[in-house]
Amino acid sequence: MADAYPVAPKNLGNDNPETDGSTPIVNAPQPDTAVEAVLRVAVEAPLADTFDYLPPIDAPLARLRPGQRLLVPFGRGSRVGILMAIVDRSTHPADKLRRVERVLDAEPLLDEPDLKLLAWAATYYQQPIGEALFAAIPARLRDPEPLPVETAPGLQATASGRVLDLETLARAPKQRALLDALRSEPEGLTLDELTARLGDSRSAIRALRSKGWITDVQLARAADSVAETPPLAGPELHAEQEAAVEAVQAAFGTFGAFLLDGVTGSGKTEVYIRLIESVIAQGRQALVVVPEIGLTPQLRERFRTRLPGPIAVLHSALKAGERERNWLRAARGEADLILGTRSAVLAPIPRLGLIVVDEEHDDSLKQQDGLRYSGRDLAVRRAQLAGCPVVLGSATPSLETLHNARLGRYGRLRLTERAGGARPPTISILDIRNQPLRAGLSPVLREHMQAELAAGNQILLFLNRRGYAPVLSCHACGWVGECPHCDARLTLHLSERRLWCHHCGWSCLQPGRCPKCKSLELRMLGRGTERLEEELIELFPETRIARLDRDSTRRRGELGRVLDAVRKGETQILLGTQMLAKGHDFPGVTLVGILELDQSLYAGDFRAAERTAQLIVQVAGRAGRAERPGRVVLQTRHPEHPLLQSLLREGYSGFADAALRERAEAELPPYSHLALARAEAPDPEDALAFLRRARELGERLAGDSGAILLLGPIPAPMERRAGRHRAQLLIQCAERPRLQRFLTRWVSDVRTLSRRKGLRWSLDVDPRDLL
Ligand SMILES: Nc1ncnc2c1ncn2[C@@H]1O[C@H](COP(=O)(O)OP(=O)(O)OP(=O)(O)O)[C@@H](O)[C@H]1O
Ligand SMILES: [Zn+2]
């Protein structure tokens, strides 16, 4: 977990507004001072405000524009800052202002609308503006380096090559074609471009080079190798898709938010593609935000083969250089489509014309440290600022988004049927109490599996727990393997012969004897995917089985290989964790078995039911996506559970209606708004004590109108994690603006509280979970 508010170095004048002239000025109340011009600069520092500086000596004011990076003196050194505004007076005395050292970018890195969005995000999520800005740019640009200009090796015709009579090369057609191509491009062509046009021309290049007719040059790299093959045509849209596309197209050029509420396999992605095509045709860029791009290589491929223009992919698993290149392509307007995970919503996109958020219900759209933003909510805000439509798509919309749709804030577009004539899967609940289970599978599920395998169909088995066994315990003395740093049990990973903590990453060798009583009778209790795989191989010996979880796909390329094998029909049973639920399109799968969800049915978080319902529907949605119908079997020991019953009888929308009614009664989101203050410290009492003092400050601010509720502090559900003791304080309010006003004042008060050594705290506005 990253620090939310790392302690400011002493010389920043954080706690002490009397700066000594060697430090930048914090916006503390001081007399107004008129000077030549004052630059308001955001710096990545744990303080909420911008800093005032005088313009640099050598750069004329006319060259300065908001969004440029500046090198500024800061503390005893210098830092990169971003110019936010040029104003005519500072709230600090002129003789205390220091001068900007250098202007780093000729052109602003971030445009006015980008700055507006980021400033809004900083205010809304109660983070320093500097943190928001620097979260939006590639890591290397935090250093005082110039914008990288990307070059690639290329060739150019020389002066003699340009005037040569091409007939001289009549007997060397390849050389002739090459020279001809280069003469048509005065700056030259990159080797890649030449290969794309003429195929392998290495010997022709050598020949022309030796005659002095062409020469090597470094060229600015083309935006992206544009696909050589024309984009593939898509299927003809069905009526509901057509209606959805038209509704959004009608909003092009203005803000409009839409919920695309389409059952699994209804063709939502096809709707996105048509919208992207048409927005690109208007000369604009499209942004598509997805929860986890690494898990769905297929989706990226689909966009690539269907769209004509260059695509910039943005996600954290990319190597730094590639990420930077793609970011610049987005920022310079060179990429038509920006496809990325949540942080893509912060990237500069000058010709933005459409935003799509796919799987808008997914928790991984929420950033969990630093600027704790919701990629979905920022996407809506961004569309508002950019004046373009935003489409939030899901088969299982979040209750927040459904609520907004009901209130008429979002247009609701429905796709009620599966595309291409596929039927929805039938879901049945299987009571496994008193059932003889083998490999955790009930006899009924095993029979279904045999039948499907015999018919040549594919099966998915969902078990949301990785590793071999979640518990290693001693039969003699009752010892249980627990993490020394967390309030959690260790999971046995048999293939590695190690016990792992899934919360902090600590691990140790699997003990051969009980560490406490030295008995040899250690038992592996429970079942994770690793064990299930082993048992399935025994139970279905002639069958090709593959496993999909974080452990099995750690090696590069392995995920793609597993998914390919399923799609090609080579794998007959695919088992895995919730990675299975992530929007894969496996046309051959006819049976989905959900082995165990009972724990999540009873989890403590108020969103547990919503999350479980979404998971069930998404996993179930992998079945029967083509001609053959799909069947879903859900094993449980709680068949009477109201959530399962309502899902079964009325589907997700029936469940959502009931869940919304419950939220309204309990005054929980979306009927109220939350913020969660978390604190953690090495000493058990510190975090609670700190939040108690924070609460006192909050109570003073809140007054006794009752509009702002402070609940807690309480120890976090997992009190100790990674050796730190954690506590939390919940703030609840029915009105968002009121909560915002409160939080702004409260956060600045809490920042003045003294802290015991090692104490960290953070504020999470609109938290996704209360853990
Ligand atoms: N109009 C159409 N006619 C025929 N096939 C279609 C049509 N639209 C989509 N399909 C096909 O149906 C399948 C499901 O479509 P798509 O992946 O777009 O659905 P989705 O709603 O995004 O799915 P999910 O979110 O459940 O993963 C795909 O194989 C797609 O090619
Ligand atoms: Zn641990």
Side-chain angles (χ1 to χ4, degrees), residues 122-202:
T123 309
Y124 185 82
Y125 293 106
Q126 307 293 338
Q127 286 286 316
I129 175 71
E131 297 231 346
L133 292 174
F134 284 88
I137 64 174
R140 192 152 67 121
L141 299 182
R142 293 172 194 175
D143 296 330
E145 301 291 327
L147 265 182
V149 178
E150 225 189 305
T151 59
L155 294 164
Q156 199 180 39
T158 59
S160 55
R162 270 199 290 275
V163 295
L164 184 79
D165 181 1
L166 283 179
E167 285 314 307
T168 325
L169 293 170
R171 273 183 299 149
K174 193 96 191 197
Q175 292 181 37
R176 182 188 160 138
L178 187 74
L179 188 58
D180 195 25
L182 288 176
R183 293 203 322 188
S184 67
E185 300 280 343
E187 301 206 332
L189 288 165
T190 65
L191 295 179
D192 286 347
E193 286 164 339
L194 279 171
T195 312
R197 288 192 194 184
L198 303 171
D200 182 10
S201 345
R202 274 173 295 184

Side-chain angles (χ1 to χ4, degrees), residues 40 68 109 206 347 415 442 444 506 716:
R40 205 141 271 178
Q68 281 168 322
L109 212 53
R206 269 196 302 274
L415 307 180
S442 59
V444 177
W506 185 86

Side-chain angles (χ1 to χ4, degrees), residues 483-486 488 490 501-506 721-722:
C483 176
H485 309 291
C486 301
L490 294 169
C501 173
H502 287 182
H503 302 279
C504 73
W506 185 86
R721 183 172 165 166

Side-chain angles (χ1 to χ4, degrees), residues 420-464:
R423 276 154 289 169
T426 53
I427 304 188
S428 54
I429 290 175
L430 204 65
D431 183 356
I432 53 166
R433 286 172 298 187
N434 303 318
Q435 292 280 314
L437 302 183
R438 287 185 63 193
L441 310 171
S442 59
V444 177
L445 181 52
R446 290 202 302 269
E447 263 169 47
H448 286 320
M449 288 176 71
Q450 295 290 10
E452 297 298 333
L453 289 174
N457 295 330
Q458 289 172 298
I459 300 167
L460 286 191
L461 292 179
F462 172 76
L463 176 63
N464 212 9

Side-chain angles (χ1 to χ4, degrees), residues 235-238 241 262-272 302 358-359 395 415 418-421 582-585 618 621-622 625:
E236 200 172 315
L237 296 186
H238 59 71
Q241 285 174 318
V263 299
T264 53
S266 58
K268 294 182 288 297
T269 313
E270 204 50 52
V271 171
Y272 307 152
R302 226 165 128 185
D358 191 24
E359 311 294 356
L415 307 180
R418 285 193 153 180
K582 301 280 175 188
H584 306 292
D585 198 17
Q618 294 288 348
R622 302 311 113 201
R625 291 170 69 96

Side-chain angles (χ1 to χ4, degrees), residues 548-612:
L548 193 66
D549 60 28
R550 255 204 291 152
D551 302 311
S552 74
T553 54
R554 199 153 282 154
R555 252 188 303 142
R556 235 186 128 79
E558 190 63 16
L559 174 77
R561 210 190 52 74
V562 172
L563 296 177
D564 269 355
V566 179
R567 220 163 298 121
K568 287 190 196 134
E570 291 162 11
T571 299
Q572 292 163 287
I573 302 179
L574 178 67
L575 70 131
T577 56
Q578 53 181 329
M579 278 169 95
L580 288 181
K582 301 280 175 188
H584 306 292
D585 198 17
F586 300 131
V589 169
T590 52
L591 173 64
V592 168
I594 299 176
L595 299 197
E596 235 173 86
L597 269 178
D598 289 353
Q599 261 188 339
S600 41
L601 285 177
Y602 290 97
D605 194 279
F606 76 91
R607 276 189 243 266
E610 178 185 354
R611 247 181 234 130
T612 309

Side-chain angles (χ1 to χ4, degrees), residues 257-290:
F258 298 89
L259 163 60
L260 179 61
D261 180 356
V263 299
T264 53
S266 58
K268 294 182 288 297
T269 313
E270 204 50 52
V271 171
Y272 307 152
I273 290 173
R274 297 304 159 96
L275 288 170
I276 296 164
E277 273 172 356
S278 57
V279 89
I280 291 176
Q282 296 187 355
R284 298 193 159 252
Q285 293 170 285
L287 166 66
V288 175
V289 183
V290 297

